[in-house]
Amino acid sequence: MSDFFSVEIVEQVGSTNDELKKCAREGAPEGLCITAIEQTAGKGRVGRVWESVAGNSLTTSCLLRPKDIPMNCIPTITLVCGMAVKKFLEREFGIISQIKWPNDIVVDGKKLCGILVEMEAISNEVNFIVSGIGLNIHQKDFSEEIAYKSTSIDLELKHMYPDESLDTIYEKCLSESCRAYFLSGISAASKLEYLSKKLWDSFKEYYDIFMKTCDMTYLREEYEDGLVNMNQSIKIEAGKDSYEAIARGINNRGALLVEVADSIQEIDSGEVSVRGIYGYV
Ligand code: BTN
């Protein structure tokens, strides 16, 4: 693991983002990550709740204290995080995922991972950023409300090899180092620590590139390659309003470029949700 991050495993916490924000206010150093075995009050984007199951989900947050970064660059970190998760899933599990702008990670049209980046400022300057990732690992089912659009690593691996046992699939698909943590008898804490380290290391690779320009200049092409709705019709929901458009990629700030009535508009992530015309993707 790079020296940049240090992972602390906690047994139970309301929200890893909130816990880390508390530590940040008390002066915790950049690179501190908190991973919970059980998260009881997980927060999602736009005021939603994030469901997780003790030991079966990865719920982890990391603290960033970038120097001299303009505040309007912070929402873009959410896209950087998404790219890191996508790469991590491929390296560790052999799972090829896609990104639903700005940062949901989806496989076969269902959400595997969510990302919530939060920031606190002091007199109009960024004080710290907490970047939180929730990844579904072993869940076999989800609450009625989100079941239609949710998936987990186990469900996706099983989908790839329906006739094989999960242990055989782990042997086949997981990276050599990851495999050891998915054997029975290994504690949830060591598995989650391993996954957190690998995930935040992947994030660091993309974050370093992002920090060269504080935008998506060098990441844009790869991001667009992974964009699930690229050149497809989507529905943009902003509060009670919604309208249809065609997704055409992102700009360097990470705004979604959409074509509406022959003109290109830029959509900022703020309080907007993007859906497929007929469902979640
Ligand atoms: C979303 O898709 O709406 C974002 C979900 C983010 C969930 C993660 S889990 C770890 C961290 N702690 C939280 O309370 N939320 C994020």
Side-chain angles (χ1 to χ4, degrees):
M1 185 186 188
S2 75
D3 296 337
F4 190 79
F5 293 114
S6 67
V7 175
E8 247 179 48
I9 304 289
V10 296
E11 197 64 43
Q12 193 195 58
V13 88
S15 151
T16 54
N17 269 28
D18 286 348
E19 190 64 22
L20 195 53
K21 282 197 276 181
K22 241 187 269 166
C23 299
R25 286 179 208 121
E26 288 160 8
E30 176 164 64
L32 177 64
C33 307
I34 292 184
T35 298
I37 295 178
E38 182 175 15
Q39 180 174 257
T40 54
K43 302 184 308 178
R45 278 184 72 233
V46 287
R48 296 194 191 108
V49 167
W50 180 256
E51 284 181 19
S52 50
V53 181
N56 282 345
S57 324
L58 177 64
T59 48
T60 184
S61 303
C62 89
L63 176 60
L64 303 168
R65 293 184 181 276
K67 305 255 175 312
D68 305 323
I69 186 170
M71 219 139 59
N72 61 2
C73 297
I74 307 307
T76 315
I77 294 180
T78 232
L79 280 73
V80 177
C81 241
M83 295 180 77
V85 175
K86 180 173 168 26
K87 179 62 80 177
F88 158 85
L89 288 170
E90 190 177 341
R91 281 190 188 138
E92 297 300 321
F93 299 98
I95 291 179
I96 305 296
S97 57
Q98 287 179 298
I99 305 175
K100 182 167 117 21
W101 182 89
N103 55 4
D104 286 357
I105 301 299
V106 299
V107 183
D108 287 332
K110 291 187 169 187
K111 180 164 168 174
L112 187 56
C113 171
I115 295 162
L116 179 66
V117 174
E118 299 184 275
M119 180 206 71
E120 278 195 16
I122 295 180
S123 22
N124 268 342
E125 302 229 322
V126 176
N127 182 22
F128 63 79
I129 296 158
V130 164
S131 183
I133 297 178
L135 174 66
N136 302 325
I137 303 176
H138 295 304
Q139 288 98 319
K140 290 190 174 49
D141 40 41
F142 296 87
S143 69
E144 208 179 315
E145 216 183 19
I146 60 166
Y148 74 98
K149 62 166 184 182
S150 302
T151 191
S152 67
I153 286 178
D154 279 0
L155 287 173
E156 286 313 313
L157 290 174
K158 199 71 189 149
H159 192 209
M160 280 155 71
Y161 298 99
D163 299 330
E164 315 231 6
S165 74
L166 262 177
D167 280 348
T168 313
I169 305 173
Y170 289 160
E171 281 289 329
K172 225 192 267 243
C173 298
L174 272 50
S175 75
E176 206 181 321
S177 53
C178 188
R179 231 176 276 156
Y181 292 92
F182 276 68
L183 299 173
S184 52
I186 304 288
S187 73
S190 357
K191 176 165 60 184
L192 295 177
E193 186 180 12
Y194 169 83
L195 293 175
S196 306
K197 285 177 174 169
K198 290 289 181 186
L199 182 53
W200 292 120
D201 273 354
S202 170
F203 172 71
K204 183 73 168 63
E205 289 171 33
Y206 286 94
Y207 182 64
D208 285 348
I209 299 172
F210 163 78
M211 283 305 290
K212 285 184 188 166
T213 53
C214 287
D215 70 12
M216 297 295 281
T217 302
Y218 299 116
L219 296 172
R220 185 174 167 180
E221 204 179 313
E222 184 178 328
Y223 183 91
E224 287 180 343
D225 280 348
L227 197 56
V228 69
N229 296 115
M230 189 70 177
N231 295 324
Q232 288 177 25
S233 294
I234 51 170
K235 193 154 77 177
I236 294 158
E237 297 175 347
K240 284 187 197 133
D241 297 330
S242 79
Y243 59 96
E244 284 184 23
I246 300 171
R248 294 292 186 207
I250 57 166
N251 66 13
N252 283 344
R253 285 188 303 109
L256 186 67
L257 301 175
V258 297
E259 191 180 317
V260 193
D262 288 336
S263 79
I264 297 289
Q265 294 179 4
E266 297 177 357
I267 310 281
D268 286 307
S269 55
E271 298 293 291
V272 167
S273 287
V274 168
R275 300 258 170 273
I277 297 291
Y278 302 108
Y280 166 64
V281 167

